[in-house]
Amino acid sequence: MAASPSIVPVAVTAAVVPVLSASSDFSNLREIKKQLLLIAGLTRERGLLHSSKWSAELAFSLPALPLAELQPPPPITEEDARDMDAYTLAKAYFDVKEYDRAAHFLHGCNSKKAYFLYMYSRYLSGEKKKDDETVDSLGPLEKGQVKNEALRELRVELSKKHQARELDGFGLYLYGVVLRKLDLVKEAIDVFVEATHVLPLHWGAWLELCNLITDKEMLKFLSLPDTWMKEFFLAHIYTELQLIEEALQKYQNLIDVGFSKSSYIVSQIAVAYHNIRDIDKALSIFNELRKQDPYRIENMDTFSNLLYVRSMKSELSYLAHNLCEIDKYRVETCCVIGNYYSLRSQHEKAALYFQRALKLNPRYLGAWTLMGHEYMEMKNTSAAIQAYRHAIEVNKRDYRAWYGLGQTYEILKMPFYCLYYYRRAHQLRPNDSRMLVALGECYEKLNQLVEAKKCYWRAYAVGDVEKMALVKLAKLHEQLTESEQAAQCYIKYIQDIYSCGEIVEHLEESTAFRYLAQYYFKCKLWDEASTCAQKCCAFNDTREEGKALLRQILQLRNQGETPSTEMPAPFFLPASLSANNTPTRRVSPLNLSSVTP
Amino acid sequence: MASVHESLYFNPMMTNGVVHANVFGIKDWVTPYKIAVLVLLNEMGRTGEGAVSLMERRRLNQLLLPLLQGPDITLSKLYKLIEESCPQLANSVQIRIKLMAEGELKDMEQFFDDLSDSFSGTEPEVHKTSVVGLFLRHMILAYSKLSFSQVFKLYTALQQYFQNGEKKTVEDADMEQTNREEGERKMEKEELDVSIREEEVSCSGPLSQKQAEFFLSQQASLLKNDETKALTPASLQKELNNLLKFNPDFAEAHYLSYLNNLRVQDVFSSTHSLLHYFDRLILTGAESKSNGEEGYGRSLRYAALNLAALHCRFGHYQQAELALQEAIRIAQESNDHVCLQHCLSWLYVLGQKRSDSYVLLEHSVKKAVHFGLPYLASLGIQSLVQQRAFAGKTANKLMDALKDSDLLHWKHSLSELIDISIAQKTAIWRLYGRSTMALQQAQMLLSMNSLESVNAGVQQNNTESFAVALCHLAELHAEQGCFAAASEVLKHLKERFPPNSQHAQLWMLCDQKIQFDRAMNDGKYHLADSLVTGITALNSIEGVYRKAIVLQAQNQMSEAHKLLQKLLIHCQKIRNTEMVISVLLSVAELYWRSSSPTVALPVLLQALALSKEYRLQYLASQTVLNLAFAQLILGIPEQALSLLHMAIEPILADGAVLDKGRAMFLVAKCQVASAASYDPPKKAEALEAAIENLNEAKNYFAKVDCKEQIRDVVYFQARLYHTLGKTQERNRCAMLFRQLHQELPSHGVPLINHL
């Protein structure tokens, strides 16, 4: 659908039209800045606060314009002038959230701006009443029944206008929102696409589109306008659809063309890194972001997750207190505080804060899952199951909730029962090793060793996070007396640990060395055996065995057994690592709040 | 015959066959519809004895219960219902509601204030604890709990409800619109209506807890007893989704959704619903029970058990076993003997599919009796009887056991099990080859009234037992050559169990088997061949067997032999004795048809030994027939005759018509063969007797349209008449033979070399 001049908003007169039909490249940043400033103003006039905020933020990140280039405010048309008084009054009422009153005074206005505000206040009034109703409904079964009564009427009026092609970009946006609220998803998508064609600068329409598109295929079949806004949209939706590589690529491009100061883009990049669990990068970007924009609350819950995973108590505490000072009653704040308490093992308090987050926004998915984790920590399995189920109800694709359910049942010693849940989680994230390891453990408990082996191997193949898959695989092989494979697995495991160079306690290291030492001993490879036995001596639990083995080797060698040919050890052990690696408390598998996407 | 126990699954909404949804929380609240019903009750109380005739009052009383329990209906529908039973009352109710809706809020408030008057006085109109009294008190309580804004909301809802009702009634009469604006508004309304109409068709509004529970338990019991009367799977699912949208915590809906998904064999959705149900149940169990831990653990055990049942139903036996092990482990840990009993029963069901495990079953029955679980106990007895019947126990012991379990059933009025028991008796008698007894049992079940009637006026439920009995009936009739009656029974089956319902497979198989037999009798082998695929789809073993028979009839001996050998090995492995004997008989037939009757003898003897051991009289007499025939071919007709004398009695008493014909034919053949050595007068006498027997055989064959056999008989008769010099009769027979011979394709088998 082409943006024909006839349906370009009347509020924007001929002089502004070329500005609004955004170009497809970033060659003219000044033009883009002008457009952003203009749209920020337009959206503000219509009470679309979030879009206005987004545009203004983005505009702020671009260099300032000289006075000569500053855009004069769009001239006022005859129609606007006629509705001016009503609009001014209504806008004032609107701003103090007296929507019905605003709508009353706007009734009968014909200018586009006034009409939009009229419809929008009716919509918001309906939404507000709906929220009030939920508290006061007639019975429990009616809870889900409460709906925005205004929606239907709005839909009828808007659809008439739509058919008569009288809607401008904002009108189309509102129509789309109404359709979405009525669960008419297909129609809503069409209308939003139309809205982006007519008024590509309005970020709200793009954002709504993001929420409606559920997979890559759908995205392919949309005919989107060819503007620079599309790049932002694509980057955003790639992040949503977990196509992180593509998203990062897009964001990098945006930074390259000059949006490097935009806190929006920076935060999105941080979220993307968080999603692919590149924790260090994400952390550093978030720290940077905090410096740039210290009072930002959005995305701070993600940041706190990262801090949690790294167990950075002091940083998390600082963040929590800071946010609490800025605004106590934000979902993100509650979430950060919840994470903070969880890290301090005060799980009751953590659950309380997650509950508060849910009260503030019942559709805030992350909190349900996190609350489930907290209940798990408190060993309240039934409450945990409830929380996870709620999370799944809000979003069926929440793999963490499925995984959490699986873990709950695993704790209840129902390995077969939890298979289903792990499988669901695995389906949603086929390349996540944690689900595979969990599946493998269940199969192992059910004595289905073949399946278990498959799971562990696959977990290793997709890149094991916790580095446990190989050990478990090795132990399975050990059980099945497949010593060759077991040794291979242990060797790979040790190579893996030393190559990644991370200093994490690995209890299984000693087990690996012990097995290898014995394996080489049996194969009569004395050199290798003694190397491994020496390694064993570095660990508390295997020290005695290592020494005993060393003695035996020495004895056998002295007896005149010719040592086998000098073969290089199959792996390289950095001396610094193997010496001071005392195993401490192993992270319990229950520490689930660390489960981050 | 298919196991009667496929319906063995645990339903938490059911104890000992009685379905009830669980009870918790607030149950009901005031809606405009409820107000209308209250007005009706109030009016009924106000009108004195004389105003309403006795008949009308009775009809009204009958109407009340569904009104109180059912979902909300529109005002016009309500008027219509009342009008049907008592027009004058409908009128006064209408006026009262009109007054209330068009008046002020205080009218409604006044109405509720006055409601409690009906309890007062020395002779109250309504008893406090009656159904109506409870309803009234519920409503008064719910009303007084409403907050300020809720009361007003209720009143506006009432006005809306009233106006909608008015609009419906006025709509047809008054078409003109006063002014344009109103017309426009109406159009808008209609436009809106179009978009939401499809939602509203199925569900007129949110159900209250009570209504929802009623709906669920009704549908659940219908699914169990009479699937055809329940909503179709799609619409039921839609209702459930609706219900869950309004109240996601309504766990029972998930269970019903699971049952519904089982109906359409959807393994994914049913697993999903089942697990969701138990996830939810765990919550409610933990919240509402004072002995929280107990209720919670209990649902865990049953969750695993149900999962096992689900996998078993879909044939995932390995998974089922794993789930069952889990259930058993948890149940053992918490000392739950009842759950363990259920597990044990399932363990048997699982074991049954692989190898026999009656020890388990015996244990199960003993324990179940010990723990006072009559349902499980007699289900166990029935399974045991079935198992023993296949293992060849004598009828009197089995019947004794069944009689004992029948005692249990009647004592606890487990009507479902009574039905199963009779169906089982039918099957057992049929297994033993006593068609008369089987017929009698089947008829008994069919003419018996069910103890629990789901809907008033319906005496029987459409359960599996009925399907089984009816199938037996159809097959028995077909055996006796009453094909019209058989197809009549099948038609009835098709109506009662539509093709997509749970038990439809039973009659489908039965139908195809009968068609197959008819096609074989008729010599239409291509037709029979085409039926084999259908049979194989429903029962693979039966399918392979029939395929072999067709091949044999088409003279493709080596293929048939290969197939039969494979089948024999398989059946011996799974201990399907009935089929083993049938296969042995077919193998023997193959041998003597390829002119090596001596090889056939040991096979036949083996079959005879087996059928005697397992007391399968029907198969035994068929084996004897085959043996006699083999002896005849081997040239010892006297032996054959004496053997036949032994077998002919049960065949004539209980056998299929085809077998009767074959027996008589064989007798005649033997008589002729043994008469060869007699002196002429005696010989003529013997031949006359043979001709008589042949006539009888011909009659039997004619009943089941066995043209080929008739042709053989006629040929034989012609030869005999020729020997006796009766030219006229001979010519008649010869002509008949010629006619038949032209009709039928000849397969090059020596005519007489056929049983």
Side-chain angles (χ1 to χ4, degrees), chain B residues 202-232:
Chain B
S202 61
C203 174
S204 48
L207 298 168
S208 78
Q209 177 103 19
K210 215 166 181 177
Q211 287 165 333
E213 274 171 10
F214 179 66
F215 171 76
L216 289 182
S217 59
Q218 190 192 30
Q219 290 296 327
S221 90
L222 280 178
L223 275 191
K224 181 170 159 285
N225 291 322
D226 196 349
E227 210 191 317
T228 43
K229 293 218 177 51
L231 290 174
T232 57

Side-chain angles (χ1 to χ4, degrees), chain A residues 133 136-139 141 144-145 152 155-156 160 381-382 385-386 389 393 402 405 409 412-417 420-421 424 446 448, chain B residues 29 147 149-150 153 188 192 195-196 207-209 246-248 272 275-276 279-280 282-283 296 300 303 318-319 322-323 326 329-330:
Chain A
E133 283 297 308
D136 206 38
S137 62
L138 279 178
L141 277 182
Q145 248 274 319
R152 288 221 224 146
R155 184 195 159 197
V156 173
K160 257 190 219 149
T381 38
S382 61
I385 289 172
Q386 179 179 32
R389 264 293 169 195
E393 228 142 69
W402 286 113
L405 273 176
Y409 282 110
L412 291 168
K413 291 192 215 149
M414 297 170 79
F416 181 78
Y417 205 75
Y420 172 81
Y421 298 102
R424 291 296 286 241
L446 292 170
Q448 308 245 313
Chain B
W29 67 86
S147 70
S149 63
Q150 282 171 329
K153 220 183 127 198
E188 282 167 16
L192 281 167
S195 65
I196 52 149
L207 298 168
S208 78
Q209 177 103 19
F246 295 143
N247 186 356
H272 183 75
L275 296 189
H276 201 153
D279 283 348
R280 289 290 180 188
I282 286 164
L283 315 178
Y296 166 52
L300 278 183
Q318 203 200 352
Q319 262 105 320
L322 288 172
E326 205 157 285
R329 193 170 39 71
I330 309 174

